[in-house]
């Protein structure tokens, strides 16, 4: 399993060191504490220590942080021999992406006297941007080297920040939970990268592109953390007060309804009426994605549940019927099915957001209208204009993602990053020292090479 | 492993769709945002955004949420071949129960102009009610179909809400952490259901009703999350301020003391002085259950530790000596031993609560008396009356649970839900597509059907 | 695997019961609620319920709590046959240590009229002290009985409290995240204990002193929870407001940079350029340790990233080159490599803290200087004196840890605690009832002894 091409001894260290040193230098030049984290600035104003935004955002941040590292990381451990890479590369590219995102988002969202200000809000935003990269990672999971993934992360974060700037700052789009900026962008970007990196001979490693019993159990850890903390995700950067509260509530109901429709559709469509772990692990989350834009609006629990209910149905149908077509017709090998979990539900969330925005009235929102739609109230654009802007934002996001993914896909296709061969995809041992498998009697086996573990004649000798 | 009776292709989708559509309609008609989640109502009053209850309850809610989905879900994964079902059915019935509980609790705890108000408090209460259903699930784990479980959830949530209404609203009982309403109710309800569903030939699947090394490791994830977050559980809906703070503290000490006595008793009673994972996974949690009622009172750390210490001892003794008797004499097959973890410690918690309440004085509680015992202070019932009411509440709860469990057990016994046969209990592959088992060398095995993985000649014998 | 010496039937119960009963008595005599948890005292003052420190510290506490029980517990499950003990003994000694630490820290940090006051701050401090014991546990993992570990915990907690008292109360040292008090102390204490307990014939169980595929996956759960929540750890007991906020932010950047350098160094130094799970699981956390002292200071994101970057490098180099030397030359068998994760990064963190403190000026900190360096502002010692004190504190801590570890090591060496023989180290079945290993076909095997699971002739037929 050793191969000069996929050997990371120099490629990975050089990439990591160069990137991190650039980051450190740029942070030294550009970044400073915001007024809530700076000892001098904070104490300059006259307020209670308890007014610090840390207390109102940090618990949400920590939930988001768990989703990024445990949620995404373990969700992808469903592959039988790719657990180290799933959780380990997720860890690596997330650690890079959040630093780079701090710079890119800080640059685009407004410098303060030439400086980027950081605090809990920038931490949440950086984690959000990282989430988008991890969605794209899901599309190419198992078929890429860590260096390729780092390259993808650098470019994708940059384009994410540009798209986010266009939407939130230029167009005044509302997208608190990122149905568009995070999910739609991440999914279609990743799908386009997967298209460019298409491997016609991927069937060589087909036997490893599936789960085993325990890997599905590990993946459920990821699923549940994403599911439980999605209300925190969608509400993490909305306005304080009723907005955060309502967003969490809406997302909670959307997810609950989505779970019921996911189980129903899984049993209905799967073999012999048996539930399929792929559906449960993924489609049950679509309700969170689909409530990403409208969650902060007055969607009502009723509306949230309808959205979640439909998202679950669409997502399972996607896994069952659309993914095979994507691979056979469009040559998109979407390992985790991000199109079904983030792509379609993200688009759906954007549409639901546009419709909900266009129906906003002072009657419904009262003085809270300004918090949710600052461009609409008091005398800005009309609600239907806001709805139109929301729809345009979806188109912009799709365009940015598809073109961006295409370009970055070609950059990633350069044969210099140590990508695995077709036969060694979905296999940890290309990039990791992998120990033996069997506990209990692994003692005797631990000196035996991984590849030989299951050979009967050796077990025989042992006994 | 395919069987027309247990085939879920129609049964599960129909049940899920009907239930969810009813829920959505009822939410549309009955549910609206409360004043903390509604944009108009919240901005109508004059207060700081930071006064929103979201900031004071949501972190507790998230801890409770983790207990419900990860805690209960993984605690039950100890069975060797029932991990998908344990965590997956837990997920399904919890997602249903929290929606239905919102309606039932909203209905019983007071409508507002014909509407049920929702916000973070209703979310916590719904999760609490769900916890009770999951306790009952533990008693029947491995022996029921998902449709049966959904039916149980619908009825149990309803009865839970009635019992909770009688206790909290009619009697003025204090039970912040639910020693009675959640644990005692859930345990005895589940035990009665298990009694009705008694399977004399369950020994046919006895070989699957045990753990393997890794399944015990997964179960420890559930245990530890329950243990760590129990202080949040017990304090989630107490009064703000010192009450929440004190409840968390008391529970923390009760659990710590319980852990020591659990390890002691496990080594003392188990085979060869070796620790038994069943005890560690379960009995170490009894301290949280037993502090569920008195936790918010001035129990003192000293009192909390005594309670936890005794709860651990009782629980281990229950697992060791009482569970076998329950099965042989009372024909109650309690898969997870919920009688030992939730039943007896719940009753103990109720009694401790009654005693502690009857000892309450203005001397001890000062002006905080009203927060803990609103019926006692300033000039309501006496402390000893409150203690009496607490004791009566335990009796009411036991009655409701036993009668309710009996009735619902008979409903669940109808042969229409696709329950597994005696020989296929504790087996995921009845209801789930199950992949192979062996990682590392699963490559070669992945083309082999699940059913054949386990050594052909042995499977042969089984069939 | 049954052995009269290691039989815990009497040793463990007696130890647990005696310790817990002593604790309960001392709590009864010495401990009372502080003014934030006592109903009377809290309501005596005139403040909002929302001012209760519960709301500003409890989320941090819960993150720390997860680190102690899940983080440390699962981090140590990397050993193939020691998962029950890793997570189970971690659970046991943590539950003891947090109770004892409450008393010891309460005693040394100031009694109130002969009473120890408890609340969320004492809970955090007790968990911190427990963390130190768990670090030492990492050094002796696999080679000690639970009774030995309980004995270690009692003594180490006591010495920890003395050292903490000297630093924080007598010297006025700043060490919010415990680079010195927790990490340096715990590591060098544990290393000294490991030195005293040196086993020249440990190679007898060498084949069990390694990981298997799934045990490394479980360990990653521990790693990621430690990594994600370290910002909460370092900021849990700093001053409110900007201090907590800044500390979390600094730690976040330190860890991110550390992760990049860890991956780089792992690929650079490990076999064939492949990543080594030992490095990823451990060294990626060194950035949190190294930011433990200076994290609350105006270290800047730039400084934090440099610190984290270097900590990752040092830690990987330690695992690769120093650990073998420690074992061969100094006879220190450091199972988890705590010297590389907590020892060197802890010392580094202390030095960084001393330097950062000595550079503190009113210019930089403004009116916030007093929060971070109460001894410096307004007219106390100079910043350079504070830096000197910080350096002296490191020396004191090292001295206390080494001498303390030496003494406690000899106490632990007494042949009365049921320590495992050289051949049965790193083996759960000495102290635990251990079930079989193989899921799916474990049904048939569950009556078969663990040692026989891998029947050669059956494996043969499969191939």
């Amino acid at each position: 399993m050793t191969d000069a091409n996929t050997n990371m001894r120099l490629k990975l260290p050089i990439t990591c060191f160069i990137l991190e040193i650039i980051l450190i230098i740029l942070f030294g030049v550009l970044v400073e504490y915001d007024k809530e984290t700076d000892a001098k600035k904070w104490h300059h104003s006259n307020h209670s220590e308890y007014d610090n935004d840390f207390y109102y955002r940090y618990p949400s941040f920590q939930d988001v942080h768990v989703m990024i590292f445990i949620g995404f990381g373990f969700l992808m451990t469903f592959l039988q021999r790719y657990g180290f890479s799933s959780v380990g590369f997720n860890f690596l590219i997330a650690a890079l992406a959040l630093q780079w995102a701090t710079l890119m988002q800080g640059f685009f969202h407004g410098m303060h006297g030439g400086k980027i200000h950081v605090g809990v809000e920038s931490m949440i935003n950086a984690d959000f941007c990282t989430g988008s990269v991890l969605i794209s990672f899901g599309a190419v999971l198992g078929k890429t080297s860590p260096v390729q993934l780092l390259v993808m992360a650098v470019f994708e974060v940059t384009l994410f920040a540009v798209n986010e700037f266009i939407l939130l700052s230029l167009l005044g789009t509302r997208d608190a939970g990122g149905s568009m900026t995070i999910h739609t962008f991440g999914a279609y970007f990743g799908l386009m990268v997967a298209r460019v990196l298409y491997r016609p001979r991927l069937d060589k490693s087909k036997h490893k592109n599936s789960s085993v019993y325990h890997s599905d159990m590990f993946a459920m850890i990821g699923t549940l953390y994403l599911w439980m903390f999605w209300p925190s995700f969608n509400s993490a950067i909305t306005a304080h007060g009723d907005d955060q509260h309502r967003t969490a509530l809406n997302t909670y109901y959307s997810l609950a309804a989505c779970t019921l429709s996911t189980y129903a559709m899984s049993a209905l469509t799967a073999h012999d009426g048996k539930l399929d772990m792929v559906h449960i692990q993924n489609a049950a989350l679509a309700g969170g994605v689909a409530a990403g834009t409208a969650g902060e609006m007055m969607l009502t629990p009723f509306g949230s549940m309808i959205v979640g209910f439909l998202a679950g149905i669409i997502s399972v149908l996607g896994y069952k019927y659309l993914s095979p077509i994507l691979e056979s017709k469009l040559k998109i090998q979407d390992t985790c099915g991000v199109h079904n979990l983030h792509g379609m539900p993200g688009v759906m969330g954007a549409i639901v957001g546009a419709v909900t925005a266009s129906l906003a009235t002072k009657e419904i929102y009262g003085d809270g209208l300004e918090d949710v739609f600052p461009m609409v109230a008091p005398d800005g654009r009309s609600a239907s204009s806001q709805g139109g802007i929301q729809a345009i934002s979806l188109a912009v996001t799709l365009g940015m993602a598809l073109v961006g993914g295409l370009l970055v896909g070609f950059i990633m296709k350069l044969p210099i990053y140590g990508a695995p061969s077709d036969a060694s995809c979905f296999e940890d041992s290309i990039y990791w020292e992998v120990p033996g498998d069997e506990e209990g009697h692994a003692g005797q086996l631990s000196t035996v090479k991984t590849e030989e573990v299951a050979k009967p004649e050796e077990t025989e000798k042992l006994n």
Side-chain angles (χ1 to χ4, degrees), chain A residues 83 108 138 164 174 197 215 237 286 367 375 380 382 411 418 420 422 454:
Chain A
F108 281 112
E164 193 186 37
R174 301 302 292 175
L197 300 183
S215 67
I237 51 154
D367 291 340
M375 308 295 283
S382 69
I411 295 170
D422 290 345

Side-chain angles (χ1 to χ4, degrees), chain A residues 128-144:
Chain A
F128 273 10
C129 176
T130 300
S132 195
V133 176
L134 300 178
I135 291 166
S136 304
F137 175 35
V140 298
L141 186 75
K143 302 166 295 190
T144 40

Side-chain angles (χ1 to χ4, degrees), chain A residues 30-48:
Chain A
L30 291 171
V31 173
E32 64 179 26
Y33 294 125
D34 69 10
K35 73 173 198 299
E36 314 243 340
T37 44
D38 187 282
K40 189 177 188 177
K41 287 185 236 166
W42 175 253
H43 283 88
H44 195 65
S45 331
N46 189 16
H47 40 49
S48 159

Side-chain angles (χ1 to χ4, degrees), chain A residues 15 82 136 153 167 182 237 335 342 405 420:
Chain A
T15 312
Y82 211 63
S136 304
L167 266 59
I182 301 168
I237 51 154
T335 311
H342 301 280

Side-chain angles (χ1 to χ4, degrees), chain A residues 147-361:
Chain A
V147 175
Q148 254 176 320
L149 293 169
L150 290 170
V151 169
M152 182 178 83
V154 169
F155 286 106
E156 183 171 358
V157 164
T158 312
L159 291 167
F160 175 98
V162 172
N163 185 57
E164 193 186 37
F165 171 70
I166 295 172
L167 266 59
L168 307 192
S169 302
L170 297 188
L171 296 176
T173 312
R174 301 302 292 175
D175 193 18
S179 288
M180 289 177 276
T181 54
I182 301 168
H183 299 287
T184 303
F185 183 84
Y188 288 96
F189 186 99
L191 291 167
M192 199 50 116
V193 170
R195 174 63 191 84
V196 176
L197 300 183
Y198 178 66
R199 290 167 180 262
R201 302 297 310 278
L202 191 60
D203 56 342
K204 281 190 181 177
S205 52
K206 195 182 177 184
H207 55 285
K208 277 177 281 183
N209 187 6
S210 62
S211 67
V212 288
Y213 196 74
H214 271 129
S215 67
D216 272 326
M217 290 298 297
F218 279 114
M220 279 305 289
I221 297 176
T223 296
L224 288 174
Y225 273 101
L226 289 170
W227 196 92
M228 296 182 301
F229 289 167
W230 217 295
S232 306
F233 189 93
N234 284 349
S235 67
I237 51 154
T238 63
H240 285 129
D242 63 299
D243 301 73
Q244 274 198 282
H245 200 157
R246 182 173 56 249
T247 312
L249 185 72
N250 287 338
T251 309
Y252 170 82
Y253 287 124
S254 178
L255 285 162
C258 179
T259 302
L260 271 283
S261 64
T262 296
Y263 273 80
M265 291 304 292
S266 185
L268 194 62
T269 62
H271 179 65
D272 276 340
K274 291 182 183 180
L275 294 163
D276 187 333
M277 262 289 169
V278 172
H279 304 156
I280 307 308
Q281 283 160 9
N282 293 281
L285 300 168
V289 175
T293 303
E296 68 171 328
M297 304 174 189
M298 289 288 285
L299 182 58
T300 76
F302 173 64
S304 306
M305 288 161 76
I306 293 174
V307 168
F309 186 72
L310 297 177
I313 293 173
I314 289 171
S315 189
V316 173
L317 291 175
Y319 275 100
K320 186 72 184 178
Y321 303 109
L322 198 54
S323 284
I325 295 174
L326 281 187
E327 175 153 6
S328 61
K329 305 291 181 201
L330 298 184
K331 303 190 175 181
I332 296 172
Q333 293 155 328
D334 176 7
T335 311
C336 293
V338 301
H339 187 247
N340 312 306
L341 170 48
H342 301 280
M344 292 189 297
V347 170
M348 182 185 159
I351 295 169
V352 171
V355 172
T356 313
S358 69
L359 298 174
T361 62

